[in-house]
Amino acid sequence: MFTIDAIHLREINLPLAHPFETSFGVTTGRRILLVELEGDGLTTWGECVAGEHPYFSDEMIDTAWIVTEGELAPRLLEATLEGGGSVPDLFKQVRGHRMAKAALENAVWEMTAQRKQTSLAKLLGGTQSVVPCGVSIGIQKSVEHLLDVIARELDCGYQRIKLKCKPGWDDQVFDAVRARWPEILLSCDANSAYRMRDFDQIAGWDRYKLLMIEQPLWFDDFYFHSMLQKRIETSLCLDESIRNRRDALAAIDMESCRIINVKVGRVGGFSEAIAVHNAAAERGVPVWCGGMLETGIGRAHNIALSSLPNFTLPGDVSASARYWSQDIIEPEVTVSAAGEIVVPDGIGSGFSVDRERIDALTVRRSSLKRKAQEKA
Ligand code: OSB
Ligand code: MG
């Protein structure tokens, strides 16, 4: 059993190496909430994946900051913990705010791994020593430019190309990509840009032999995705809709999707991510690990999660250099020519945090401390 003695929140600002455009907007730089826990003589970190705006989900960095500082951190500072698995119960009075919860919970898992002198991957139940990697490619200024970007990523070894799409950036793009690469593993992600009037068009995408179509309809929907899945051959994959294990079960049982994108922030932390993974595994539904333009802190946690046995499809976890001129961990995340990331087997996540660089990027801080305990 252990306690957390102090929690430090910071906001860092970090420009992206390349702007990232999705159907919901363009991101040129990130404002990121990091949490740092002190306890048991150790210091561990968590990254909140909430965006700059509430466009992907209803969370954003500023709501996460308020909820972390005012609700979650005080609960964690009062608790006696066995490990990361103790955290969801502490937070259960607070509804939603899953990305805020995940940052703290994941830092507790990291601390638990370090206390036990084991790797985070092993602690989570990981069994794979390497994870297959894909890339998520944003909407580009032209199809020609997109083809150049894809060619470069394939040269790096990435095993699957995911194209961000939206009405007007879809059929002609898929046509051009399939004309040049008829056989590559290809998928698309609409981030909820389509509606029922688009069903016939989406059914036409069966001709592109996509590995999956990710979240074409409303961000909170199961029923209409299920109607769409029944009309097409291509597998649907849900991202935004899956908030927890119950959602995964509902989606699988009503055939709203045949593949699930697991994002540890979106489901509220490693405990729930493992539960979603297990629910899908029990039903024979493959999962893969999504990304949220994380720094190395979140990326390292995604790598550990991706080592669980049902993460069988290439994820959106890729090299640090695709996002940042310089990451905030050492070593940076790299991908082999075979399109794989090696899962570290050292203690904890296997990466160390570059505190000097984080200090230089920090624009806001807040610290909370555990209250001195009364003598028994
Ligand atoms: O829908 O998977 C998504 C990035 C931000 C928000 C949502 C998504 C994404 C990505 C990028 O697709 C994944 C990554 O490379 O980190
Ligand atoms: Mg997605």
Side-chain angles (χ1 to χ4, degrees):
M1 303 286 258
F2 61 104
T3 57
I4 306 297
D5 304 319
I7 299 177
H8 308 285
L9 284 65
R10 358 176 146 216
E11 176 182 339
I12 60 166
N13 290 359
L14 199 52
L16 280 168
H18 311 280
F20 187 73
E21 181 169 350
T22 69
S23 65
F24 61 76
V26 185
T27 308
T28 54
R30 298 292 328 281
R31 292 177 55 212
I32 298 171
L33 166 59
L34 298 178
V35 296
E36 181 187 6
L37 307 187
E38 286 178 42
D40 211 14
L42 299 166
T43 291
T44 60
W45 296 77
E47 174 169 345
C48 177
V49 300
E52 295 67 40
H53 302 278
Y55 299 165
F56 171 80
S57 75
D58 47 16
E59 286 188 84
M60 62 187 293
I61 176 171
D62 299 299
T63 64
W65 185 285
I66 289 171
V67 168
T68 301
E69 190 178 45
E71 298 283 346
L72 305 177
R75 283 172 169 77
L76 190 52
L77 287 168
E78 280 178 8
T80 303
L81 304 162
E82 263 176 71
S86 315
V87 177
D89 208 44
L90 300 173
F91 291 167
K92 69 173 191 275
Q93 191 179 18
V94 176
R95 293 191 178 165
H97 300 285
R98 293 181 300 280
M99 294 174 180
K101 290 173 177 173
L104 288 172
E105 186 190 320
N106 295 352
V108 173
W109 280 92
E110 172 88 37
M111 188 172 284
T112 311
Q114 293 190 19
R115 289 181 82 237
K116 296 190 170 178
Q117 305 262 300
T118 186
S119 74
L120 179 60
K122 225 178 256 138
L123 184 68
L124 297 174
T127 55
Q128 311 192 75
S129 58
V130 294
V131 300
C133 306
V135 287
S136 172
I137 301 181
I139 293 164
Q140 305 292 319
K141 59 180 189 279
S142 68
V143 173
E144 249 177 32
H145 188 73
L146 173 68
L147 297 180
D148 290 344
V149 173
I150 296 172
R152 218 176 310 134
E153 302 292 13
L154 291 172
D155 278 347
C156 289
Y158 286 106
Q159 298 183 22
R160 183 226 63 204
I161 300 292
K162 163 172 137 182
L163 303 173
K164 289 294 190 178
C165 66
K166 65 177 183 182
W169 184 263
D170 44 26
D171 291 71
Q172 93 276 16
V173 174
F174 306 150
D175 274 327
V177 174
R178 272 304 185 217
R180 180 138 163 215
W181 295 284
E183 303 291 344
I184 56 168
L185 279 186
L186 186 68
S187 68
C188 69
D189 184 359
N191 291 111
S192 309
Y194 296 88
R195 295 294 174 258
M196 287 175 75
R197 61 174 173 271
D198 305 312
F199 276 24
D200 285 337
Q201 183 192 355
I202 294 173
W205 298 350
D206 282 342
R207 69 184 183 279
Y208 301 120
K209 303 285 177 230
L210 301 175
L211 178 61
M212 71 191 96
I213 299 169
E214 185 175 341
Q215 200 76 36
L217 308 174
W218 298 267
F219 74 96
D220 55 358
D221 171 74
F222 297 106
Y223 178 69
F224 295 101
H225 280 94
S226 157
M227 286 179 57
L228 176 59
Q229 181 68 90
K230 287 174 177 62
R231 287 200 23 200
I232 65 178
E233 301 260 312
T234 309
S235 292
L236 293 182
C237 170
L238 290 180
D239 174 357
E240 285 90 328
S241 296
I242 306 292
R243 301 162 301 178
N244 51 44
R245 175 174 187 275
R246 289 179 298 102
D247 283 347
L249 294 174
I252 293 167
D253 288 356
M254 65 198 284
E255 218 200 338
S256 305
C257 64
R258 298 191 198 121
I259 296 173
I260 291 176
N261 168 339
V262 180
K263 286 181 179 166
V264 61
R266 196 196 63 225
V267 303
F270 281 135
S271 300
E272 198 65 29
I274 294 167
V276 170
H277 163 275
N278 293 348
E282 283 157 19
R283 284 155 186 80
V285 168
V287 305
W288 53 280
C289 185
M292 290 289 285
L293 311 176
E294 289 92 345
T295 72
I297 292 174
R299 196 168 300 281
H301 288 172
N302 287 342
I303 293 167
L305 180 66
S306 300
S307 71
L308 270 68
N310 193 37
F311 282 86
T312 51
L313 295 170
D316 275 349
V317 182
S318 55
S320 298
R322 293 189 63 250
Y323 305 85
W324 320 111
S325 66
Q326 188 191 335
D327 206 335
I328 61 172
I329 55 162
E330 287 163 341
E332 298 205 338
V333 174
T334 55
V335 171
S336 75
E340 291 174 336
I341 294 176
V342 175
V343 180
D345 60 5
I347 291 170
S349 75
F351 295 87
S352 64
V353 165
D354 183 346
R355 180 183 293 275
E356 258 175 50
R357 174 144 174 82
I358 292 176
D359 281 343
L361 299 168
T362 298
V363 298
R364 175 161 62 145
R365 303 169 185 260
S366 175
S367 288
L368 295 87
K369 293 201 162 46
R370 182 178 173 85
K371 293 202 185 76
Q373 297 300 293
E374 284 159 35
K375 290 207 185 88

